[in-house]
Amino acid sequence: MTQQLNDFSVTRKWPAQHPERIQLYSLPTPNGVKVSIALEEMQLPYEAHLVSFETNDQLSTEFVGTFPNNKIPAIIDPNGPGAQPLALFESGAILVYLAEKTGSPLLPADPAARYETLQWLMFQMGGVGPMFGQVGFFHKFAGKAFEDKRPRDRYVNESRRLLGVLETRLTGRQWVMGDAFTIADIAIWPWVRNMVVETGYNASELLGWHEFPQLQRVLQAFEARPSVQKGLKVPPRG
């Protein structure tokens, strides 16, 4: 049965003004901006829809009916495999899909480099994201009021270890994979950035950010990319 874009429940709450474009449902969080940055890097036409956590948009029946994990970012590609619409959640899966769809060098064609890139993508998804997020909870959000600092310190120590892994990896390299900017960088650097900027978790002192000169260098290069500067603001917050 042929499916149309309007068949997806999410479009009832966020109608497409440009149904021929990739539909992005997101918020400018460390996870959300991965996909907007990738779309900008690949110069793919897209339409962004703000999913507001303040009004629990992600829990709406329209959103969950299409994306059952009720998390952002998510996309619908109206021209997916077989010229059929494809709905996807999970930022890592979306990054791989978009890179493969376009044949982008953001995911290397060489098999060894491809799997090494995917390895570092999984490093972010399985380690950096969950651990850094816990630091944010215990350092900036509700958990900061806990008198017992052992939970916070547990996640801080693991986050410092992960930063150390990256620091070693980037010694003598321009990006995670060397000279090539890849989806691994798109996944990792929004999270690193969010840990240290004042508008994010503001945890640079807690993490000993001054001890990671390679990370500082690469983060600065990441922030200088036009696609990053635009993608970090997509979708605009109201």
Side-chain angles (χ1 to χ4, degrees), residues 24-29 31-33 35-36 49-52 72-74 234-235:
L24 170 65
Y25 308 90
S26 192
L27 189 67
T29 67
N31 267 337
V33 299
V35 175
S36 53
H49 305 277
L50 179 70
V51 180
S52 174
I72 60 96
V234 174

Side-chain angles (χ1 to χ4, degrees), residues 98-178:
L98 293 175
E100 290 187 339
K101 173 185 173 72
T102 59
S104 171
L106 290 170
L107 183 59
D110 173 75
R114 170 188 166 86
Y115 284 111
E116 194 174 357
T117 302
L118 293 175
Q119 165 189 263
W120 286 101
L121 174 64
M122 302 305 169
F123 170 82
Q124 184 280 310
M125 295 169 59
V128 167
M131 294 301 104
F132 286 17
Q134 292 292 346
V135 171
F137 174 78
F138 285 104
H139 178 63
K140 181 172 181 177
F141 301 114
K144 69 181 179 181
F146 295 1
E147 291 185 11
D148 187 347
K149 298 304 179 187
R150 286 176 296 180
R152 183 202 69 178
D153 292 345
R154 171 182 173 86
Y155 293 115
V156 168
N157 290 337
E158 176 60 7
S159 295
R160 281 180 53 82
R161 187 191 72 82
L162 294 168
L163 291 173
V165 172
L166 282 171
E167 180 76 8
T168 299
R169 173 68 179 179
L170 287 161
T171 301
R173 288 184 171 88
Q174 183 177 0
W175 300 104
V176 170
M177 285 299 296

Side-chain angles (χ1 to χ4, degrees), residues 3-231:
Q3 200 168 26
Q4 304 296 321
L5 183 63
N6 288 340
D7 293 334
F8 293 90
S9 61
V10 71
T11 63
R12 295 198 295 270
K13 189 174 179 67
W14 292 275
Q17 301 301 311
H18 302 280
E20 75 284 0
R21 301 179 186 177
I22 290 173
Q23 302 295 303
L24 170 65
Y25 308 90
S26 192
L27 189 67
T29 67
N31 267 337
V33 299
K34 296 180 201 173
V35 175
S36 53
I37 291 170
L39 288 165
E40 292 292 333
E41 281 280 342
M42 299 178 205
Q43 299 183 336
L44 285 168
Y46 68 97
E47 181 178 351
H49 305 277
L50 179 70
V51 180
S52 174
F53 289 173
E54 294 179 0
T55 53
N56 289 323
D57 283 348
Q58 76 279 13
L59 301 178
S60 65
T61 55
E62 295 90 349
F63 190 86
V64 175
T66 302
F67 308 112
N69 197 34
N70 60 269
K71 301 288 186 182
I72 60 96
I75 66 166
I76 299 177
D77 181 0
N79 187 28
Q84 296 296 306
L86 175 67
L88 281 179
F89 64 90
E90 283 297 331
S91 58
I94 295 170
L95 291 178
V96 173
Y97 169 72
L98 293 175
E100 290 187 339
K101 173 185 173 72
T102 59
S104 171
L106 290 170
L107 183 59
D110 173 75
R114 170 188 166 86
Y115 284 111
E116 194 174 357
T117 302
L118 293 175
Q119 165 189 263
W120 286 101
L121 174 64
M122 302 305 169
F123 170 82
Q124 184 280 310
M125 295 169 59
V128 167
M131 294 301 104
F132 286 17
Q134 292 292 346
V135 171
F137 174 78
F138 285 104
H139 178 63
K140 181 172 181 177
F141 301 114
K144 69 181 179 181
F146 295 1
E147 291 185 11
D148 187 347
K149 298 304 179 187
R150 286 176 296 180
R152 183 202 69 178
D153 292 345
R154 171 182 173 86
Y155 293 115
V156 168
N157 290 337
E158 176 60 7
S159 295
R160 281 180 53 82
R161 187 191 72 82
L162 294 168
L163 291 173
V165 172
L166 282 171
E167 180 76 8
T168 299
R169 173 68 179 179
L170 287 161
T171 301
R173 288 184 171 88
Q174 183 177 0
W175 300 104
V176 170
M177 285 299 296
D179 292 337
F181 183 78
T182 68
I183 59 173
D185 296 291
I186 292 175
I188 289 169
W189 296 108
W191 275 102
V192 174
R193 178 182 180 274
N194 195 65
M195 286 287 270
V196 299
V197 297
E198 291 184 5
T199 54
Y201 296 159
N202 196 22
S204 57
E205 183 176 350
L206 184 67
L207 292 167
W209 180 241
H210 65 280
E211 299 174 17
F212 302 105
Q214 300 302 324
L215 300 191
Q216 295 174 39
R217 169 183 60 82
V218 180
L219 179 58
Q220 185 176 19
F222 178 75
E223 292 177 324
R225 296 179 76 90
S227 63
V228 172
Q229 293 173 9
K230 185 170 182 179

